[in-house]
PDB file of all heavy atoms in Angstrom:
ATOM      1  N   GLY A 563      -7.519 101.554 247.101  1.00 81.00           N
ATOM      2  CA  GLY A 563      -6.799 100.486 247.786  1.00 81.00           C
ATOM      3  C   GLY A 563      -7.063  99.131 247.139  1.00 81.00           C
ATOM      4  O   GLY A 563      -7.088  99.004 245.919  1.00 81.00           O
ATOM      5  N   SER A 564      -7.291  98.131 247.964  1.00 86.00           N
ATOM      6  CA  SER A 564      -7.383  96.754 247.504  1.00 86.00           C
ATOM      7  C   SER A 564      -8.761  96.431 246.975  1.00 86.00           C
ATOM      8  O   SER A 564      -9.601  95.832 247.686  1.00 86.00           O
ATOM      9  CB  SER A 564      -7.001  95.804 248.638  1.00 86.00           C
ATOM     10  OG  SER A 564      -5.671  96.050 249.084  1.00 86.00           O
ATOM     11  N   VAL A 565      -9.019  96.823 245.753  1.00 92.00           N
ATOM     12  CA  VAL A 565     -10.326  96.585 245.137  1.00 92.00           C
ATOM     13  C   VAL A 565     -10.638  95.107 245.044  1.00 92.00           C
ATOM     14  O   VAL A 565     -11.800  94.673 245.213  1.00 92.00           O
ATOM     15  CB  VAL A 565     -10.362  97.210 243.717  1.00 92.00           C
ATOM     16  CG1 VAL A 565     -11.657  96.872 243.003  1.00 92.00           C
ATOM     17  CG2 VAL A 565     -10.195  98.727 243.813  1.00 92.00           C
ATOM     18  N   GLU A 566      -9.614  94.272 244.810  1.00 91.00           N
ATOM     19  CA  GLU A 566      -9.858  92.876 244.542  1.00 91.00           C
ATOM     20  C   GLU A 566     -10.435  92.076 245.713  1.00 91.00           C
ATOM     21  O   GLU A 566     -10.958  90.978 245.542  1.00 91.00           O
ATOM     22  CB  GLU A 566      -8.560  92.193 244.084  1.00 91.00           C
ATOM     23  CG  GLU A 566      -7.426  92.167 245.103  1.00 91.00           C
ATOM     24  CD  GLU A 566      -6.608  93.442 245.146  1.00 91.00           C
ATOM     25  OE1 GLU A 566      -6.898  94.348 244.330  1.00 91.00           O
ATOM     26  OE2 GLU A 566      -5.688  93.539 245.971  1.00 91.00           O
ATOM     27  N   ILE A 567     -10.369  92.630 246.934  1.00 92.00           N
ATOM     28  CA  ILE A 567     -10.936  91.907 248.085  1.00 92.00           C
ATOM     29  C   ILE A 567     -12.401  92.197 248.301  1.00 92.00           C
ATOM     30  O   ILE A 567     -13.041  91.542 249.118  1.00 92.00           O
ATOM     31  CB  ILE A 567     -10.154  92.230 249.386  1.00 92.00           C
ATOM     32  CG1 ILE A 567     -10.402  93.684 249.850  1.00 92.00           C
ATOM     33  CG2 ILE A 567      -8.668  91.930 249.229  1.00 92.00           C
ATOM     34  CD1 ILE A 567      -9.858  93.984 251.229  1.00 92.00           C
ATOM     35  N   ALA A 568     -12.948  93.167 247.566  1.00 92.00           N
ATOM     36  CA  ALA A 568     -14.334  93.596 247.791  1.00 92.00           C
ATOM     37  C   ALA A 568     -15.355  92.476 247.698  1.00 92.00           C
ATOM     38  O   ALA A 568     -16.240  92.361 248.570  1.00 92.00           O
ATOM     39  CB  ALA A 568     -14.703  94.729 246.824  1.00 92.00           C
ATOM     40  N   PRO A 569     -15.328  91.583 246.685  1.00 93.00           N
ATOM     41  CA  PRO A 569     -16.306  90.505 246.639  1.00 93.00           C
ATOM     42  C   PRO A 569     -16.187  89.554 247.832  1.00 93.00           C
ATOM     43  O   PRO A 569     -17.196  89.075 248.347  1.00 93.00           O
ATOM     44  CB  PRO A 569     -16.009  89.813 245.300  1.00 93.00           C
ATOM     45  CG  PRO A 569     -15.354  90.858 244.458  1.00 93.00           C
ATOM     46  CD  PRO A 569     -14.540  91.638 245.434  1.00 93.00           C
ATOM     47  N   ALA A 570     -14.964  89.250 248.252  1.00 90.00           N
ATOM     48  CA  ALA A 570     -14.763  88.275 249.309  1.00 90.00           C
ATOM     49  C   ALA A 570     -15.314  88.762 250.650  1.00 90.00           C
ATOM     50  O   ALA A 570     -15.768  87.931 251.471  1.00 90.00           O
ATOM     51  CB  ALA A 570     -13.275  87.964 249.452  1.00 90.00           C
ATOM     52  N   ILE A 571     -15.342  90.083 250.885  1.00 91.00           N
ATOM     53  CA  ILE A 571     -15.842  90.586 252.168  1.00 91.00           C
ATOM     54  C   ILE A 571     -17.260  91.134 252.051  1.00 91.00           C
ATOM     55  O   ILE A 571     -17.770  91.754 252.974  1.00 91.00           O
ATOM     56  CB  ILE A 571     -14.900  91.664 252.731  1.00 91.00           C
ATOM     57  CG1 ILE A 571     -14.805  92.871 251.790  1.00 91.00           C
ATOM     58  CG2 ILE A 571     -13.515  91.090 253.002  1.00 91.00           C
ATOM     59  CD1 ILE A 571     -13.985  94.032 252.351  1.00 91.00           C
ATOM     60  N   GLY A 572     -17.882  90.905 250.895  1.00 91.00           N
ATOM     61  CA  GLY A 572     -19.294  91.268 250.730  1.00 91.00           C
ATOM     62  C   GLY A 572     -19.570  92.697 250.347  1.00 91.00           C
ATOM     63  O   GLY A 572     -20.725  93.144 250.400  1.00 91.00           O
ATOM     64  N   MET A 573     -18.539  93.466 249.946  1.00 92.00           N
ATOM     65  CA  MET A 573     -18.727  94.838 249.564  1.00 92.00           C
ATOM     66  C   MET A 573     -19.242  94.978 248.132  1.00 92.00           C
ATOM     67  O   MET A 573     -19.801  96.031 247.761  1.00 92.00           O
ATOM     68  CB  MET A 573     -17.423  95.631 249.694  1.00 92.00           C
ATOM     69  CG  MET A 573     -16.965  95.849 251.117  1.00 92.00           C
ATOM     70  SD  MET A 573     -15.416  96.788 251.201  1.00 92.00           S
ATOM     71  CE  MET A 573     -15.949  98.357 250.558  1.00 92.00           C
ATOM     72  N   ALA A 574     -19.022  93.971 247.306  1.00 94.00           N
ATOM     73  CA  ALA A 574     -19.415  94.058 245.906  1.00 94.00           C
ATOM     74  C   ALA A 574     -19.574  92.667 245.318  1.00 94.00           C
ATOM     75  O   ALA A 574     -19.122  91.664 245.918  1.00 94.00           O
ATOM     76  CB  ALA A 574     -18.352  94.823 245.109  1.00 94.00           C
ATOM     77  N   ASP A 575     -20.273  92.591 244.189  1.00 95.00           N
ATOM     78  CA  ASP A 575     -20.438  91.319 243.480  1.00 95.00           C
ATOM     79  C   ASP A 575     -19.285  91.029 242.545  1.00 95.00           C
ATOM     80  O   ASP A 575     -19.035  89.859 242.191  1.00 95.00           O
ATOM     81  CB  ASP A 575     -21.755  91.336 242.684  1.00 95.00           C
ATOM     82  CG  ASP A 575     -22.957  91.602 243.552  1.00 95.00           C
ATOM     83  OD1 ASP A 575     -23.224  90.778 244.451  1.00 95.00           O
ATOM     84  OD2 ASP A 575     -23.630  92.635 243.340  1.00 95.00           O
ATOM     85  N   SER A 576     -18.592  92.075 242.080  1.00 96.00           N
ATOM     86  CA  SER A 576     -17.512  91.951 241.114  1.00 96.00           C
ATOM     87  C   SER A 576     -16.646  93.177 241.204  1.00 96.00           C
ATOM     88  O   SER A 576     -16.922  94.097 241.963  1.00 96.00           O
ATOM     89  CB  SER A 576     -18.102  91.811 239.697  1.00 96.00           C
ATOM     90  OG  SER A 576     -18.889  92.962 239.369  1.00 96.00           O
ATOM     91  N   ILE A 577     -15.593  93.219 240.380  1.00 96.00           N
ATOM     92  CA  ILE A 577     -14.699  94.361 240.414  1.00 96.00           C
ATOM     93  C   ILE A 577     -14.348  94.811 238.994  1.00 96.00           C
ATOM     94  O   ILE A 577     -14.480  94.048 238.032  1.00 96.00           O
ATOM     95  CB  ILE A 577     -13.397  94.056 241.171  1.00 96.00           C
ATOM     96  CG1 ILE A 577     -12.508  93.070 240.394  1.00 96.00           C
ATOM     97  CG2 ILE A 577     -13.673  93.546 242.580  1.00 96.00           C
ATOM     98  CD1 ILE A 577     -11.081  92.987 240.933  1.00 96.00           C
ATOM     99  N   PHE A 578     -13.876  96.033 238.911  1.00 96.00           N
ATOM    100  CA  PHE A 578     -13.310  96.606 237.692  1.00 96.00           C
ATOM    101  C   PHE A 578     -12.001  97.237 238.091  1.00 96.00           C
ATOM    102  O   PHE A 578     -11.983  98.235 238.814  1.00 96.00           O
ATOM    103  CB  PHE A 578     -14.269  97.632 237.078  1.00 96.00           C
ATOM    104  CG  PHE A 578     -13.751  98.306 235.832  1.00 96.00           C
ATOM    105  CD1 PHE A 578     -13.538  97.608 234.671  1.00 96.00           C
ATOM    106  CD2 PHE A 578     -13.468  99.674 235.824  1.00 96.00           C
ATOM    107  CE1 PHE A 578     -13.059  98.223 233.532  1.00 96.00           C
ATOM    108  CE2 PHE A 578     -13.009 100.304 234.701  1.00 96.00           C
ATOM    109  CZ  PHE A 578     -12.804  99.574 233.550  1.00 96.00           C
ATOM    110  N   ASP A 579     -10.875  96.665 237.647  1.00 94.00           N
ATOM    111  CA  ASP A 579      -9.604  97.107 238.177  1.00 94.00           C
ATOM    112  C   ASP A 579      -8.474  96.861 237.201  1.00 94.00           C
ATOM    113  O   ASP A 579      -8.654  96.192 236.173  1.00 94.00           O
ATOM    114  CB  ASP A 579      -9.302  96.405 239.511  1.00 94.00           C
ATOM    115  CG  ASP A 579      -8.288  97.133 240.354  1.00 94.00           C
ATOM    116  OD1 ASP A 579      -8.095  98.348 240.178  1.00 94.00           O
ATOM    117  OD2 ASP A 579      -7.682  96.466 241.228  1.00 94.00           O
ATOM    118  N   ILE A 580      -7.289  97.369 237.543  1.00 91.00           N
ATOM    119  CA  ILE A 580      -6.072  97.130 236.753  1.00 91.00           C
ATOM    120  C   ILE A 580      -5.662  95.687 236.863  1.00 91.00           C
ATOM    121  O   ILE A 580      -5.632  95.107 237.964  1.00 91.00           O
ATOM    122  CB  ILE A 580      -4.930  98.054 237.241  1.00 91.00           C
ATOM    123  CG1 ILE A 580      -5.171  99.487 236.792  1.00 91.00           C
ATOM    124  CG2 ILE A 580      -3.595  97.564 236.716  1.00 91.00           C
ATOM    125  CD1 ILE A 580      -4.108 100.463 237.247  1.00 91.00           C
ATOM    126  N   VAL A 581      -5.333  95.075 235.743  1.00 89.00           N
ATOM    127  CA  VAL A 581      -4.814  93.702 235.692  1.00 89.00           C
ATOM    128  C   VAL A 581      -3.503  93.736 234.925  1.00 89.00           C
ATOM    129  O   VAL A 581      -3.407  94.297 233.838  1.00 89.00           O
ATOM    130  CB  VAL A 581      -5.802  92.749 234.993  1.00 89.00           C
ATOM    131  CG1 VAL A 581      -5.216  91.349 234.911  1.00 89.00           C
ATOM    132  CG2 VAL A 581      -7.145  92.720 235.724  1.00 89.00           C
ATOM    133  N   SER A 582      -2.469  93.145 235.517  1.00 81.00           N
ATOM    134  CA  SER A 582      -1.187  92.986 234.809  1.00 81.00           C
ATOM    135  C   SER A 582      -0.975  91.520 234.484  1.00 81.00           C
ATOM    136  O   SER A 582      -1.224  91.083 233.378  1.00 81.00           O
ATOM    137  CB  SER A 582      -0.041  93.546 235.651  1.00 81.00           C
ATOM    138  OG  SER A 582      -0.160  94.939 235.817  1.00 81.00           O
ATOM    139  N   SER A 583      -0.578  90.733 235.460  1.00 78.00           N
ATOM    140  CA  SER A 583      -0.404  89.304 235.218  1.00 78.00           C
ATOM    141  C   SER A 583      -1.642  88.489 235.518  1.00 78.00           C
ATOM    142  O   SER A 583      -1.810  87.397 235.008  1.00 78.00           O
ATOM    143  CB  SER A 583       0.739  88.794 236.092  1.00 78.00           C
ATOM    144  OG  SER A 583       0.388  88.860 237.462  1.00 78.00           O
ATOM    145  N   GLY A 584      -2.523  89.040 236.350  1.00 78.00           N
ATOM    146  CA  GLY A 584      -3.714  88.297 236.753  1.00 78.00           C
ATOM    147  C   GLY A 584      -3.542  87.484 238.011  1.00 78.00           C
ATOM    148  O   GLY A 584      -4.467  86.884 238.514  1.00 78.00           O
ATOM    149  N   GLY A 585      -2.303  87.491 238.577  1.00 84.00           N
ATOM    150  CA  GLY A 585      -2.017  86.703 239.776  1.00 84.00           C
ATOM    151  C   GLY A 585      -2.843  87.130 240.983  1.00 84.00           C
ATOM    152  O   GLY A 585      -3.294  86.303 241.767  1.00 84.00           O
ATOM    153  N   THR A 586      -3.042  88.445 241.145  1.00 86.00           N
ATOM    154  CA  THR A 586      -3.800  88.952 242.294  1.00 86.00           C
ATOM    155  C   THR A 586      -5.259  88.512 242.225  1.00 86.00           C
ATOM    156  O   THR A 586      -5.884  88.199 243.230  1.00 86.00           O
ATOM    157  CB  THR A 586      -3.716  90.494 242.356  1.00 86.00           C
ATOM    158  OG1 THR A 586      -2.350  90.886 242.423  1.00 86.00           O
ATOM    159  CG2 THR A 586      -4.440  91.013 243.567  1.00 86.00           C
ATOM    160  N   LEU A 587      -5.833  88.461 240.999  1.00 91.00           N
ATOM    161  CA  LEU A 587      -7.191  87.977 240.849  1.00 91.00           C
ATOM    162  C   LEU A 587      -7.298  86.529 241.315  1.00 91.00           C
ATOM    163  O   LEU A 587      -8.226  86.156 242.053  1.00 91.00           O
ATOM    164  CB  LEU A 587      -7.634  88.086 239.400  1.00 91.00           C
ATOM    165  CG  LEU A 587      -7.733  89.494 238.794  1.00 91.00           C
ATOM    166  CD1 LEU A 587      -8.233  89.401 237.335  1.00 91.00           C
ATOM    167  CD2 LEU A 587      -8.678  90.378 239.600  1.00 91.00           C
ATOM    168  N   VAL A 588      -6.374  85.699 240.874  1.00 89.00           N
ATOM    169  CA  VAL A 588      -6.388  84.282 241.226  1.00 89.00           C
ATOM    170  C   VAL A 588      -6.307  84.124 242.765  1.00 89.00           C
ATOM    171  O   VAL A 588      -7.053  83.310 243.348  1.00 89.00           O
ATOM    172  CB  VAL A 588      -5.230  83.517 240.544  1.00 89.00           C
ATOM    173  CG1 VAL A 588      -5.135  82.088 241.074  1.00 89.00           C
ATOM    174  CG2 VAL A 588      -5.427  83.533 239.047  1.00 89.00           C
ATOM    175  N   GLN A 589      -5.453  84.894 243.395  1.00 90.00           N
ATOM    176  CA  GLN A 589      -5.274  84.821 244.844  1.00 90.00           C
ATOM    177  C   GLN A 589      -6.563  85.182 245.581  1.00 90.00           C
ATOM    178  O   GLN A 589      -6.773  84.699 246.705  1.00 90.00           O
ATOM    179  CB  GLN A 589      -4.150  85.745 245.294  1.00 90.00           C
ATOM    180  CG  GLN A 589      -2.762  85.320 244.809  1.00 90.00           C
ATOM    181  CD  GLN A 589      -1.711  86.370 245.118  1.00 90.00           C
ATOM    182  OE1 GLN A 589      -1.972  87.340 245.837  1.00 90.00           O
ATOM    183  NE2 GLN A 589      -0.517  86.188 244.553  1.00 90.00           N
ATOM    184  N   ASN A 590      -7.404  85.997 244.958  1.00 90.00           N
ATOM    185  CA  ASN A 590      -8.644  86.414 245.609  1.00 90.00           C
ATOM    186  C   ASN A 590      -9.863  85.729 245.038  1.00 90.00           C
ATOM    187  O   ASN A 590     -10.995  86.200 245.241  1.00 90.00           O
ATOM    188  CB  ASN A 590      -8.781  87.938 245.493  1.00 90.00           C
ATOM    189  CG  ASN A 590      -7.806  88.686 246.389  1.00 90.00           C
ATOM    190  OD1 ASN A 590      -8.075  88.900 247.568  1.00 90.00           O
ATOM    191  ND2 ASN A 590      -6.656  89.061 245.835  1.00 90.00           N
ATOM    192  N   GLY A 591      -9.675  84.623 244.343  1.00 92.00           N
ATOM    193  CA  GLY A 591     -10.795  83.807 243.872  1.00 92.00           C
ATOM    194  C   GLY A 591     -11.601  84.464 242.753  1.00 92.00           C
ATOM    195  O   GLY A 591     -12.791  84.204 242.615  1.00 92.00           O
ATOM    196  N   LEU A 592     -10.918  85.293 241.948  1.00 94.00           N
ATOM    197  CA  LEU A 592     -11.624  86.009 240.870  1.00 94.00           C
ATOM    198  C   LEU A 592     -11.093  85.547 239.507  1.00 94.00           C
ATOM    199  O   LEU A 592      -9.948  85.092 239.387  1.00 94.00           O
ATOM    200  CB  LEU A 592     -11.412  87.501 241.003  1.00 94.00           C
ATOM    201  CG  LEU A 592     -11.897  88.158 242.315  1.00 94.00           C
ATOM    202  CD1 LEU A 592     -11.422  89.605 242.397  1.00 94.00           C
ATOM    203  CD2 LEU A 592     -13.410  88.079 242.423  1.00 94.00           C
ATOM    204  N   ILE A 593     -11.917  85.710 238.478  1.00 94.00           N
ATOM    205  CA  ILE A 593     -11.481  85.472 237.113  1.00 94.00           C
ATOM    206  C   ILE A 593     -11.819  86.687 236.246  1.00 94.00           C
ATOM    207  O   ILE A 593     -12.863  87.319 236.403  1.00 94.00           O
ATOM    208  CB  ILE A 593     -12.133  84.200 236.509  1.00 94.00           C
ATOM    209  CG1 ILE A 593     -13.674  84.306 236.549  1.00 94.00           C
ATOM    210  CG2 ILE A 593     -11.652  82.945 237.210  1.00 94.00           C
ATOM    211  CD1 ILE A 593     -14.349  83.180 235.788  1.00 94.00           C
ATOM    212  N   GLU A 594     -10.907  87.001 235.348  1.00 94.00           N
ATOM    213  CA  GLU A 594     -11.090  88.129 234.443  1.00 94.00           C
ATOM    214  C   GLU A 594     -12.048  87.693 233.333  1.00 94.00           C
ATOM    215  O   GLU A 594     -11.838  86.655 232.700  1.00 94.00           O
ATOM    216  CB  GLU A 594      -9.759  88.515 233.842  1.00 94.00           C
ATOM    217  CG  GLU A 594      -9.789  89.690 232.900  1.00 94.00           C
ATOM    218  CD  GLU A 594      -8.429  90.032 232.340  1.00 94.00           C
ATOM    219  OE1 GLU A 594      -7.438  89.299 232.644  1.00 94.00           O
ATOM    220  OE2 GLU A 594      -8.316  91.012 231.588  1.00 94.00           O
ATOM    221  N   VAL A 595     -13.088  88.488 233.101  1.00 94.00           N
ATOM    222  CA  VAL A 595     -14.075  88.095 232.065  1.00 94.00           C
ATOM    223  C   VAL A 595     -14.093  89.045 230.880  1.00 94.00           C
ATOM    224  O   VAL A 595     -14.535  88.664 229.800  1.00 94.00           O
ATOM    225  CB  VAL A 595     -15.500  87.990 232.680  1.00 94.00           C
ATOM    226  CG1 VAL A 595     -15.572  86.851 233.678  1.00 94.00           C
ATOM    227  CG2 VAL A 595     -15.949  89.306 233.323  1.00 94.00           C
ATOM    228  N   LEU A 596     -13.602  90.287 231.055  1.00 94.00           N
ATOM    229  CA  LEU A 596     -13.633  91.196 229.922  1.00 94.00           C
ATOM    230  C   LEU A 596     -12.627  92.326 230.146  1.00 94.00           C
ATOM    231  O   LEU A 596     -12.617  92.992 231.165  1.00 94.00           O
ATOM    232  CB  LEU A 596     -15.020  91.822 229.742  1.00 94.00           C
ATOM    233  CG  LEU A 596     -15.188  92.745 228.525  1.00 94.00           C
ATOM    234  CD1 LEU A 596     -15.027  91.976 227.228  1.00 94.00           C
ATOM    235  CD2 LEU A 596     -16.528  93.462 228.560  1.00 94.00           C
ATOM    236  N   SER A 597     -11.739  92.524 229.127  1.00 95.00           N
ATOM    237  CA  SER A 597     -10.817  93.659 229.143  1.00 95.00           C
ATOM    238  C   SER A 597     -11.485  94.843 228.476  1.00 95.00           C
ATOM    239  O   SER A 597     -11.927  94.767 227.330  1.00 95.00           O
ATOM    240  CB  SER A 597      -9.520  93.290 228.396  1.00 95.00           C
ATOM    241  OG  SER A 597      -8.676  94.412 228.293  1.00 95.00           O
ATOM    242  N   VAL A 598     -11.562  95.967 229.198  1.00 96.00           N
ATOM    243  CA  VAL A 598     -12.245  97.156 228.717  1.00 96.00           C
ATOM    244  C   VAL A 598     -11.271  98.174 228.123  1.00 96.00           C
ATOM    245  O   VAL A 598     -11.579  98.844 227.127  1.00 96.00           O
ATOM    246  CB  VAL A 598     -13.051  97.790 229.859  1.00 96.00           C
ATOM    247  CG1 VAL A 598     -13.662  99.130 229.429  1.00 96.00           C
ATOM    248  CG2 VAL A 598     -14.140  96.826 230.330  1.00 96.00           C
ATOM    249  N   LEU A 599     -10.079  98.292 228.681  1.00 96.00           N
ATOM    250  CA  LEU A 599      -9.132  99.301 228.223  1.00 96.00           C
ATOM    251  C   LEU A 599      -7.703  98.750 228.323  1.00 96.00           C
ATOM    252  O   LEU A 599      -7.303  98.284 229.395  1.00 96.00           O
ATOM    253  CB  LEU A 599      -9.235 100.575 229.061  1.00 96.00           C
ATOM    254  CG  LEU A 599      -8.235 101.687 228.769  1.00 96.00           C
ATOM    255  CD1 LEU A 599      -8.486 102.306 227.403  1.00 96.00           C
ATOM    256  CD2 LEU A 599      -8.248 102.750 229.841  1.00 96.00           C
ATOM    257  N   GLU A 600      -6.959  98.801 227.237  1.00 95.00           N
ATOM    258  CA  GLU A 600      -5.526  98.482 227.234  1.00 95.00           C
ATOM    259  C   GLU A 600      -4.779  99.781 227.534  1.00 95.00           C
ATOM    260  O   GLU A 600      -4.966 100.799 226.870  1.00 95.00           O
ATOM    261  CB  GLU A 600      -5.096  97.919 225.902  1.00 95.00           C
ATOM    262  CG  GLU A 600      -5.692  96.552 225.567  1.00 95.00           C
ATOM    263  CD  GLU A 600      -5.165  95.428 226.426  1.00 95.00           C
ATOM    264  OE1 GLU A 600      -3.979  95.541 226.879  1.00 95.00           O
ATOM    265  OE2 GLU A 600      -5.906  94.462 226.683  1.00 95.00           O
ATOM    266  N   SER A 601      -3.899  99.733 228.539  1.00 95.00           N
ATOM    267  CA  SER A 601      -3.230 100.948 228.972  1.00 95.00           C
ATOM    268  C   SER A 601      -1.713 100.796 228.944  1.00 95.00           C
ATOM    269  O   SER A 601      -1.185  99.682 229.008  1.00 95.00           O
ATOM    270  CB  SER A 601      -3.676 101.338 230.393  1.00 95.00           C
ATOM    271  OG  SER A 601      -3.037 102.514 230.841  1.00 95.00           O
ATOM    272  N   GLN A 602      -1.016 101.899 228.831  1.00 95.00           N
ATOM    273  CA  GLN A 602       0.436 101.974 228.967  1.00 95.00           C
ATOM    274  C   GLN A 602       0.779 103.423 229.295  1.00 95.00           C
ATOM    275  O   GLN A 602      -0.082 104.303 229.305  1.00 95.00           O
ATOM    276  CB  GLN A 602       1.131 101.556 227.676  1.00 95.00           C
ATOM    277  CG  GLN A 602       0.853 102.458 226.484  1.00 95.00           C
ATOM    278  CD  GLN A 602       1.693 102.078 225.279  1.00 95.00           C
ATOM    279  OE1 GLN A 602       2.911 102.225 225.258  1.00 95.00           O
ATOM    280  NE2 GLN A 602       1.033 101.550 224.239  1.00 95.00           N
ATOM    281  N   ALA A 603       2.028 103.677 229.603  1.00 96.00           N
ATOM    282  CA  ALA A 603       2.465 105.055 229.855  1.00 96.00           C
ATOM    283  C   ALA A 603       2.392 105.855 228.556  1.00 96.00           C
ATOM    284  O   ALA A 603       2.759 105.360 227.494  1.00 96.00           O
ATOM    285  CB  ALA A 603       3.876 105.065 230.403  1.00 96.00           C
ATOM    286  N   VAL A 604       1.872 107.075 228.658  1.00 98.00           N
ATOM    287  CA  VAL A 604       1.761 107.950 227.507  1.00 98.00           C
ATOM    288  C   VAL A 604       2.338 109.333 227.859  1.00 98.00           C
ATOM    289  O   VAL A 604       2.362 109.734 229.033  1.00 98.00           O
ATOM    290  CB  VAL A 604       0.305 108.120 227.018  1.00 98.00           C
ATOM    291  CG1 VAL A 604      -0.207 106.799 226.486  1.00 98.00           C
ATOM    292  CG2 VAL A 604      -0.594 108.632 228.148  1.00 98.00           C
ATOM    293  N   LEU A 605       2.779 110.025 226.827  1.00 98.00           N
ATOM    294  CA  LEU A 605       3.211 111.396 226.972  1.00 98.00           C
ATOM    295  C   LEU A 605       2.055 112.290 226.546  1.00 98.00           C
ATOM    296  O   LEU A 605       1.550 112.155 225.446  1.00 98.00           O
ATOM    297  CB  LEU A 605       4.440 111.669 226.104  1.00 98.00           C
ATOM    298  CG  LEU A 605       4.978 113.119 226.136  1.00 98.00           C
ATOM    299  CD1 LEU A 605       5.544 113.465 227.501  1.00 98.00           C
ATOM    300  CD2 LEU A 605       6.079 113.279 225.079  1.00 98.00           C
TER     301      LEU A 605
END
């Protein structure tokens, strides 16, 4: 579900999740610090 809210409600110190535009991170007071995997649809 909504991984990005975990720090705000005290469930975690940070998150590791899918980022597209980054807008959801900004809305939840988060900043992206490191991209680990670039993904796209594959066959």
Side-chain angles (χ1 to χ4, degrees):
S564 301
V565 174
E566 63 276 359
I567 69 170
I571 62 176
M573 290 180 66
D575 302 298
S576 59
I577 70 166
F578 177 66
D579 200 22
I580 286 179
V581 177
S582 294
S583 67
T586 303
L587 295 181
V588 173
Q589 293 172 10
N590 288 276
L592 301 171
I593 57 171
E594 182 181 3
V595 294
L596 183 66
S597 174
V598 174
L599 176 69
E600 294 290 331
S601 180
Q602 63 174 292
V604 294
L605 179 66

